Amino acid sequence: MAELGALSLAMVRMNLRNRIALVYGFVFPLLFLVAFWALYRNDPVPLALHAGQFLTVTILGAACFGLPTQMVSEREAGIWRRFRLTPTPTPVFVGATLLVRLALLLAAVALQLLLARALGMPWPVHPIGLAVALLAASFAFLGLGAVIAMLVPNVPAVQALGQCLFLPMLIVGGVAVPLTSLPDWALTLSVFLPGRHAVTALQANVTGLGISAVRFELGALVVIGGAAFAAASALFRWQPVAPARSGRTTGWLLVALAAWGAVGLAAIGTGRVAPAGRDIARIGPVTDFLAAPPVPAREQAADTPAEPPVATEPEKVPEPAPEPVIAPLPPPRPPGWQAVGPADYARIAFEALPPDGGLVSPIASAGEAMDPVVAEQIALLSVRLPSWPPAKVADPVQRVRNLLTVAAVPDLLQMDGFERHVPLLVLERLEAEVPAADLPKLLYWVAMHPDEGDDSAIAALERLRLPATSEPTKPVRERIMLYAMKLLGRLTDQPPPAAARRE
């Protein structure tokens, strides 16, 4: 252990002196983070929906460039030959090399997350799960980097081979280009690449359901990393140029690639090709969902020329000018939520709301089966929600708004599968917290006044083990408005919307 510590300390100093490795390890990830922020700065929740992507870019950059560049440059400079003369065993030397690179990689990830937080991204929902996913992804990709270091003779070759792996994984592996934007052939190809599994595992712990939802992806990363490290260990060499052994090299390279193939076939066999991500649509103002006033019986405007009558006599008798149409005034809005009644509910065009099975504000049907992971999360939420302080505030309007926040934020963060079942749980809680006669009135009032009240409940979502979004809060208010209308429709026997909202 003392040898490992001393050797690791020496390698930390060498890594910090290698400018190329530092650029790929620290500067490169920050540039990608800023690029993601520039592209998606108008998202409802800054960077949160792309955390898995930019974290995977960091790990992938360290594997394709940082680690192999450091290893190959040291081997070319003859540093490894000096270590070989020491009594340090080869496994200790290799272990120290990888542990130092892992420590630098995790430091770069921590720096990236701090900057993302400064740019508005909320803290990860499952920090421990994120640490596990980071270790699994690092294990897989650092194994890949070790294989690259054993295959190439010099640093320029690292750049060439690294690009051959880095760029395809960015484009068709779901790392830089979202899976929802890929064609079918690319989606099928992506399940064979470790980048996709890394993005999915990391994202599930930033905004999703945690480790329990990505067991397959974590297992896939461990399998890929194990095969890569086995191949790298078999191909390890101290000298810049190894003896000719093309058959052995090819065999071990096929072992590493066979793990990719096995993972991809398993993903296809278990139906994991289709992406789970969804686009987020912007919701219009509340006036988009108000029913149009009734059309008067007179359909002709005052300036519309009348159709001439059929002549029955020699002389045509002119028709009197049509009376001017006076549009009815909209009914006055109630002065407070207590004055709301059925006539006010009729003002909402429930059929214009987004469909329950659509992209925005989804709601599961009654009795819909849940995935076991989702069922576990819903059960935990149902236990925590009754004692949640924002659900106990004195103001009934704010209380309803706070509970609707519990449904709005998971929808914004695309917690797929989970967010479909939360609104029904919220409705159950609302019925327990609010008198039955008052609940429709309060839902209507919240829907018609989306800009009132405060947003303090958003910051308290972490007590429910849900993500707490940061500014801006307007998208959350939009989702609260939609869920208020949809739940009001259920309480007033309005059929749920079955088609996409009218444009």
Side-chain angles (χ1 to χ4, degrees), residues 250-263:
T250 302
W252 280 107
L253 184 58
L254 290 176
V255 169
L257 294 178
W260 295 26
V263 165

Side-chain angles (χ1 to χ4, degrees), residues 241-254:
V241 179
R245 46 180 181 178
S246 58
R248 185 164 177 264
T249 300
T250 302
W252 280 107
L253 184 58
L254 290 176

Side-chain angles (χ1 to χ4, degrees), residues 17-341:
R17 292 170 185 167
N18 191 319
R19 295 181 180 178
I20 297 178
L22 287 177
V23 167
Y24 283 122
F26 290 92
V27 179
F28 194 67
L30 295 181
L31 290 177
F32 259 92
L33 174 64
V34 173
F36 270 94
W37 176 80
L39 287 172
Y40 302 108
R41 63 184 180 276
N42 294 323
D43 275 5
V45 186
L47 291 172
L49 301 178
H50 308 281
Q53 292 174 272
F54 65 72
L55 291 175
T56 301
V57 169
T58 301
I59 301 171
L60 184 58
C64 290
F65 304 111
L67 173 65
T69 296
Q70 180 70 26
M71 295 177 75
V72 172
S73 62
E74 291 175 359
R75 190 173 58 201
E76 279 189 292
I79 297 175
W80 280 21
R81 286 196 294 267
R82 300 174 193 171
F83 279 115
R84 190 179 185 185
L85 297 175
T86 67
T88 304
T90 300
V92 174
F93 169 77
V94 176
T97 301
L98 296 173
L99 285 176
V100 167
R101 178 49 58 178
L102 175 62
L104 293 174
L105 173 58
L106 295 179
V109 167
L111 181 61
Q112 201 174 30
L113 288 173
L114 289 174
L115 179 58
R117 175 65 178 172
L119 293 174
M121 190 185 89
W123 290 116
V125 185
H126 306 281
I128 297 177
L130 179 60
V132 173
L134 284 170
L135 290 175
S138 300
F139 178 70
F141 284 110
L142 291 181
L144 172 63
V147 171
I148 294 174
M150 296 305 113
L151 290 176
V152 300
N154 51 51
V155 172
V158 170
Q159 312 301 318
L161 184 55
Q163 292 287 1
C164 291
L165 295 172
F166 186 77
L167 293 179
M169 210 139 354
L170 287 185
I171 298 171
V172 298
V175 177
V177 180
L179 292 174
T180 50
S181 302
L182 296 178
D184 291 342
W185 68 265
L187 284 175
T188 303
L189 178 60
S190 69
V191 296
F192 292 89
L193 304 177
R196 168 170 176 167
H197 304 297
V199 170
T200 304
L202 294 168
Q203 190 65 48
N205 288 284
V206 175
T207 62
L209 300 179
I211 291 178
S212 56
V214 288
R215 293 191 183 99
F216 176 88
E217 287 75 13
L218 293 175
L221 293 171
V222 171
V223 169
I224 290 172
F229 276 115
S233 300
L235 299 175
F236 181 81
R237 53 194 172 92
W238 294 94
Q239 304 293 334
V241 179
R245 46 180 181 178
S246 58
R248 185 164 177 264
T249 300
T250 302
W252 280 107
L253 184 58
L254 290 176
V255 169
L257 294 178
W260 295 26
V263 165
L265 292 175
I268 293 173
T270 53
R272 300 175 184 273
V273 174
R278 298 186 289 106
D279 294 329
I280 292 184
R282 186 191 178 281
I283 306 304
V286 67
T287 52
D288 288 358
F289 305 103
L290 295 181
V295 179
R298 305 179 186 91
E299 296 183 356
Q300 286 188 331
D303 56 349
T304 304
E307 184 179 347
V310 179
T312 56
E313 296 181 5
E315 294 184 3
K316 296 181 179 180
V317 180
E319 289 188 356
E323 298 179 9
V325 175
I326 301 176
L329 294 174
R333 294 201 174 201
W337 68 265
Q338 297 89 343
V340 173

Side-chain angles (χ1 to χ4, degrees), residues 370-426:
M370 298 186 204
D371 180 271
V373 173
V374 174
E376 180 183 353
Q377 296 291 329
I378 291 293
L380 290 174
L381 181 59
S382 67
V383 172
R384 299 180 185 122
L385 197 55
S387 59
W388 190 47
K392 301 293 184 181
V393 295
D395 180 9
V397 177
Q398 187 63 45
R399 192 187 320 156
V400 170
R401 191 184 305 277
N402 292 344
L403 283 166
L404 291 173
T405 303
V406 178
V409 172
D411 179 34
L412 277 174
L413 294 179
Q414 304 184 41
M415 299 176 72
D416 292 277
F418 176 73
E419 84 272 28
R420 292 175 49 78
H421 298 276
V422 175
L424 297 180
L425 179 61
V426 167

